[in-house]
């Protein structure tokens, strides 16, 4: 494990024990991301460095900086109308609301928009909440806020 990675993970572990009640395990989340998400998503920072997944994967939006971001707003990604509408109505991703989204994106959008005809372009579901929490913990460990917190100390 390189130094930068372990610093980021260390900061994530700190933040998770501090803030998250049902925190997942970033290590387990990393392998779950590899097997379940990286066919469609990657995590690429603003300098173009690939933090997770592979370069040039564009089926799903880049997940770098997803927490605290309005849903459906990665530039140049062609989202479905329902996710964009949810973002316009105030959906901002956090560690709690991403769990039900990952478990069932269609149901999540239908409930959020109160519209039974809402659709999702993400045709994938995580099987259980524990895995969803692990993946979220992994994504948190790669988030820019974490790196800023680390350097601010
Ligand atoms: C089969 C391809 C596919 C897989 C596998 C997949 N996704 Fe997605 N994902 C998408 C697409 C396409 C969208 C855009 C959805 C829309 O526009 O309705 C999306 C959207 C998202 C969003 C919303 C992002 C935003 O900018 O609003 C998140 C978060 C997300 N995916 C996380 C994940 C995670 C975590 C995994 C692994 C458990 C995963 N996805 C697996 C295709 C996929």
């Amino acid at each position: 494990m390189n130094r930068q990675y372990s610093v980021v993970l260390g900061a994530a572990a700190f933040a998770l024990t501090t803030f998250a009640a049902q925190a997942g395990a970033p290590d387990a989340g990393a392998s779950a991301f590899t097997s379940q998400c990286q066919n469609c998503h990657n995590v690429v920072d603003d300098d173009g460095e690939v933090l997770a997944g592979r370069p040039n994967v564009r089926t799903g939006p880049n997940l770098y900086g997803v927490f605290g971001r309005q849903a459906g707003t990665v530039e140049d990604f062609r989202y479905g109308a329902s996710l964009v509408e949810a973002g316009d109505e105030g959906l901002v991703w956090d560690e709690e609301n991403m769990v039900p989204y990952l478990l069932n994106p269609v149901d999540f959008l239908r409930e959020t928009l109160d519209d039974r005809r809402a659709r999702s372009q993400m045709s994938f579901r995580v099987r259980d909440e524990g895995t969803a929490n692990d993946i979220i913990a992994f994504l948190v460990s790669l988030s820019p806020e974490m790196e800023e917190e680390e350097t601010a100390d």
Side-chain angles (χ1 to χ4, degrees):
M1 184 186 289
N2 72 35
R3 211 185 73 83
Q4 200 185 354
Y5 189 54
S6 61
V7 166
V8 170
L9 274 185
F14 169 76
L16 285 169
T17 46
T18 311
F19 305 121
Q22 9 112 306
D27 285 353
S31 54
F33 183 91
T34 302
S35 56
Q36 303 190 31
C37 316
Q38 78 168 16
N39 275 344
C40 299
H41 291 280
N42 57 16
V43 182
V44 178
D45 73 14
D46 297 338
D47 298 327
E49 191 186 340
V50 180
L51 306 181
R54 295 176 303 237
N56 304 318
V57 171
R58 307 215 193 285
T59 308
N62 179 5
L63 294 177
Y64 182 73
V66 69
F67 298 103
R69 185 165 76 203
Q70 180 179 327
T73 54
V74 167
E75 218 178 307
D76 294 334
F77 184 82
R78 292 176 53 138
Y79 291 93
S82 298
L83 189 58
V84 172
E85 192 185 337
D88 286 343
E89 290 190 2
L91 176 63
V92 172
W93 293 120
D94 61 32
E95 290 159 67
E96 277 81 47
N97 62 21
M98 200 180 288
V99 176
Y101 179 73
L102 294 182
L103 293 174
N104 191 331
V106 182
D107 278 2
F108 177 85
L109 289 173
R110 287 181 182 175
E111 267 169 44
T112 302
L113 295 171
D114 194 18
D115 176 359
R116 293 188 43 196
R117 287 166 308 163
R119 289 178 190 281
S120 171
Q121 286 193 9
M122 174 159 137
S123 55
F124 183 82
R125 291 162 64 168
V126 174
R127 284 243 198 94
D128 64 278
E129 200 174 320
T131 306
N133 277 315
D134 290 346
I135 294 170
I136 288 165
F138 173 63
L139 291 173
V140 166
S141 79
L142 301 179
S143 76
E145 290 81 10
M146 302 304 310
E147 287 168 322
E148 274 161 30
E149 245 173 58
E150 182 66 21
T151 48
D153 282 337

